[in-house]
Amino acid sequence: MSKPHWRPARASDLPAISAIAARIHPDLPEGPEVFAEKMRLYPDGCRVLAAENETVGYGLSHPWMQHQIPPLDGFLEKLPHDADCLYVHDVAVLPDFRGGVTRAYVAAIEGLARSSGIAALALVSVYGTRVLWERLGFRPVTPDAALRAKLTSYASATYMLRELAK
Ligand SMILES: CC(C)(COP(=O)(O)OP(=O)(O)OC[C@H]1O[C@@H](n2cnc3c(N)ncnc32)[C@H](O)[C@@H]1OP(=O)(O)O)[C@@H](O)C(=O)NCCC(=O)NCCS
């Protein structure tokens, strides 16, 4: 079996992305139109993990503002003109295909950020994935009141940032 690889997501990947999301994130449901909007607004950040005959994971990122969290299962409407981070909305991979693939996705997103003049990556860590993201260079940020209020819609969530060295 050839190794799964990341490739740009296409509109035709939407059913597979939704199916993986429903399986991996049953407690954080998001509609397919919400994924579709991200793919339309920022296709470069939206990738799927392609195995031999199936899609086994996805990663979705888009430019955003540090210390701000887009609404879960909500539309971005538009991307900020003065974005100062690439926000990793989600990475989800079917269990049999894990191991090294998130590191590869984050490396690709880091390259994208650098080539766009964006100096940080951000995300909300859920399900005790904080240590995983720390291994990938992210650091937890102490939330102010506004950020804390937004984090309550996620399960045991930590906002994390990774500054990209020049
Ligand atoms: C998150 C997820 C995509 C990670 O995929 P993966 O292929 O296992 O990720 P990687 O192997 O690239 O992990 C990156 C690093 O974190 C480490 N890591 C992986 N899982 C870990 C865990 N549960 N705890 C601590 N570290 C972990 C890896 O060893 C690796 O470090 P290394 O390269 O120094 O060895 C996968 O576990 C998943 O789909 N989980 C469910 C969805 C989810 O929680 N998404 C994140 C929401 S914030």
Side-chain angles (χ1 to χ4, degrees):
M1 201 170 80
S2 66
K3 237 175 127 243
H5 64 279
W6 291 104
R7 65 156 173 79
R10 304 187 273 260
S12 57
D13 293 314
L14 209 49
I17 293 173
S18 288
I20 295 168
R23 187 167 151 195
I24 306 239
H25 294 301
D27 299 331
L28 301 171
E30 293 193 287
E33 63 285 355
V34 168
F35 298 128
E37 189 212 31
K38 291 183 177 62
M39 288 161 61
R40 186 171 53 76
L41 287 178
Y42 198 63
D44 286 350
C46 298
R47 312 208 172 181
V48 291
L49 187 66
E52 206 127 330
N53 295 315
E54 54 175 337
T55 297
V56 297
Y58 64 81
L60 304 174
S61 303
H62 58 81
W64 208 243
M65 304 305 293
Q66 289 185 29
H67 307 282
Q68 294 190 21
I69 308 175
L72 197 62
D73 196 28
F75 292 111
L76 303 175
E77 311 287 354
K78 58 183 167 57
L79 299 178
H81 293 298
D82 46 354
D84 59 3
C85 65
L86 275 191
Y87 180 83
V88 181
H89 172 74
D90 190 18
V91 186
V93 175
L94 296 180
D96 287 352
F97 299 89
R98 292 176 190 171
V101 293
T102 297
R103 185 173 279 283
Y105 174 76
V106 170
I109 291 304
E110 178 186 348
L112 192 55
R114 287 182 187 283
S115 63
S116 318
I118 292 178
L121 307 180
L123 55 79
V124 171
S125 153
V126 294
Y127 309 143
T129 52
R130 191 169 137 167
V131 173
L132 179 157
W133 295 116
E134 282 176 345
R135 285 194 77 88
L136 295 174
F138 289 81
R139 296 287 165 254
V141 169
T142 307
D144 61 16
L147 190 55
R148 211 165 32 241
K150 289 198 172 132
L151 282 167
T152 55
S153 69
Y154 292 75
S156 61
T158 308
Y159 182 76
M160 301 179 79
L161 269 175
R162 177 179 160 197
E163 308 282 350
L164 301 177
K166 291 223 164 77

